[in-house]
Amino acid sequence: MQSVKERWYKLYSWVLVVTAAICLVLSTMALALTQFKDLQAHGFSTLALAISVTIILYRLLLFSRISNRFEKRVAVFGMSLITMLLSISFTNSTGQLHSWFHASWLVLILFGGMFGGYIILSFLVLTSMYMILIMTNVRGQLRVDVFSLGVLGLNFAVGAASYLIWRRMYINQESLQVARLSGALKSKEQQAEILIESLADGVIVTDPEGKISLVNQAAATLTGWSVEESVGIDVQLVAKFAEEDGKELSDDLNPFKQAFVTRKPVDIILRLMSRDGKTHHTVSLVVSPVILPKAEEPAGTAAIIRDISAAREEEHRRADFISTASHEMRTPVAAIEGYLALALNDKVSRIDSKARSYLEKAHESTQHLGKLFQDLLTSAKAEDGRLVNHPLVTEMGSYLEQLADTLRFAAEKKGLLLDFTIGTSEKSEGSISGGKVVRPLYYSYIDPDRMREVITNLFDNAVKYTESGKISVGLTGNNDIIQFYIRDTGHGIPPEDIPHLFQKFYRVDNSTTRTIGGTGLGLFICRKIVELYNGHIWVESEINKGSTFYINVPRLSSQEATELQKKVAQQPL
């Protein structure tokens, strides 16, 4: 079925509705009012009334549904067929071929051209069949006269005129659909382009060869390249990255290559050098592989670049202030603590028991305050990379055993047992109280003093939050990793708090821990120290059953440990 623009169908549908409404009013008047009985002789009958109502109900109830499911022309064609019945009803009841209502049939033929040539031909065939029917007498003889032939010729003439009028308006549906699809795609592309350009963050998209296929103005501003110059250029020439401290970034650590090869997102903070080589920006970079369905290799990468230079500078200023303030306040606090210690010394001064209790409380508070300043200072240094670190090759078995023996007194003072284990077995292999045993050597390259801070902090927390039971310290590992843990039988940590536990100043706040003091910096510092050695720290916990803190650090083989020790010994002091 051929078609024209939808506005013609919409207009024609309302013409048919208005015509049906007029017929409805006149038919109702002819049937209900005596003074209008003469209208029945003009075809305004019960049948005309029923068909008119059908047309109106069709337009109100079915037209939209048919238009949505198929097309508007199909819905209008249905209305046109019903109107044909109305026209035949009027024509047949008012003189047939001699009826003036035959003009309505000619109008239908004229507008039928909007549905295509085949519809006009169908109308003409239907007209011919109707005329043959009414020109045939009861004996089956066909009576042909000049008037009938003239009427038939007029129908064909109107049909030809209809085709000539409407054919210039016919639309190729396939071309129309393609045009609509093309327009929709173009619209989507424009929307995506506007959205990408409106982002304050830089966007860079590369193809599988690492060449830039899309870049927005924000990224162009950061790199110093124009959008036009960047497209088609290798991304490593445009986006030149270095480590945050300015060290050159090795080729295998390039985030675009990493994301493409590993097929995993890369989230990192780097320094982005500008094209002129004089300016740089500290940026948060997230590079994700573009993976298409059923594709074996990524179709490229997409990167989001956010300039965090101002935020980083603010962090450094804040860290400098905390570091300076903490350092300056430690001196008077240390002096106060010293004088309180002298006051509590029986060899230096004599005080009564009541005054001693006051001084002891003051001394404890001063020690707590000193610990707070120390934690603030350490956390500030850990954040900006100024944390002093002197790594040595350390055999973690002996190291942890000696440290656990030192910490034993703190646990026993609270009535808790201490259990130390080396290896996967929970038996007394390598136990402090056991005899000499053969055990594996677990070498790692860490700063013993810094790692002591971590283990002591975790152990103190375990003792602090455990009312009864025992503290277990264990060590195990494989060829690549050394894992040690500190397990308690305390209150446990709520699941919702675990993801935030290693954040700065975060403290679990519940009825069992609210009265226990702390700075909220200990675990943050532990995480920062462990990360110095490319390690990982995490916790597993269950309410009312206890918590286990795990630490993984890289393991050295005996040969690697020996070679590294020789290398360190040869370095000048």
Side-chain angles (χ1 to χ4, degrees), residues 443-514:
Y443 289 106
S444 187
Y445 192 57
I446 54 115
D447 184 333
D449 294 332
R450 287 297 178 197
M451 191 57 70
R452 182 180 290 108
E453 289 183 46
V454 174
I455 297 171
T456 302
N457 190 296
L458 295 179
F459 186 86
D460 288 345
N461 283 346
V463 172
K464 187 187 302 182
Y465 294 105
T466 303
E467 298 299 328
S468 62
K470 68 176 182 178
I471 310 297
S472 299
V473 180
L475 174 68
T476 185
N478 56 30
N479 292 333
D480 302 314
I481 296 295
I482 298 173
Q483 181 179 99
F484 43 96
Y485 61 85
I486 297 176
R487 179 181 299 132
D488 63 58
T489 56
H491 305 294
I493 303 168
E496 62 271 16
D497 288 311
I498 290 178
H500 311 284
L501 205 59
F502 296 93
Q503 294 176 0
K504 198 173 182 180
F505 296 115
Y506 188 85
R507 297 192 69 238
V508 177
D509 185 17
N510 57 41
S511 59
T512 58
T513 63
R514 192 176 293 116

Side-chain angles (χ1 to χ4, degrees), residues 128-160:
S128 301
M129 292 176 61
Y130 173 73
M131 293 185 68
I132 291 173
L133 182 63
I134 63 176
M135 289 188 298
T136 303
N137 58 23
V138 293
R139 297 179 181 180
Q141 296 175 341
L142 182 64
R143 295 178 301 171
V144 181
D145 53 34
V146 176
F147 180 78
S148 300
L149 292 176
V151 172
L152 183 61
L154 179 61
N155 278 269
F156 275 88
V158 172

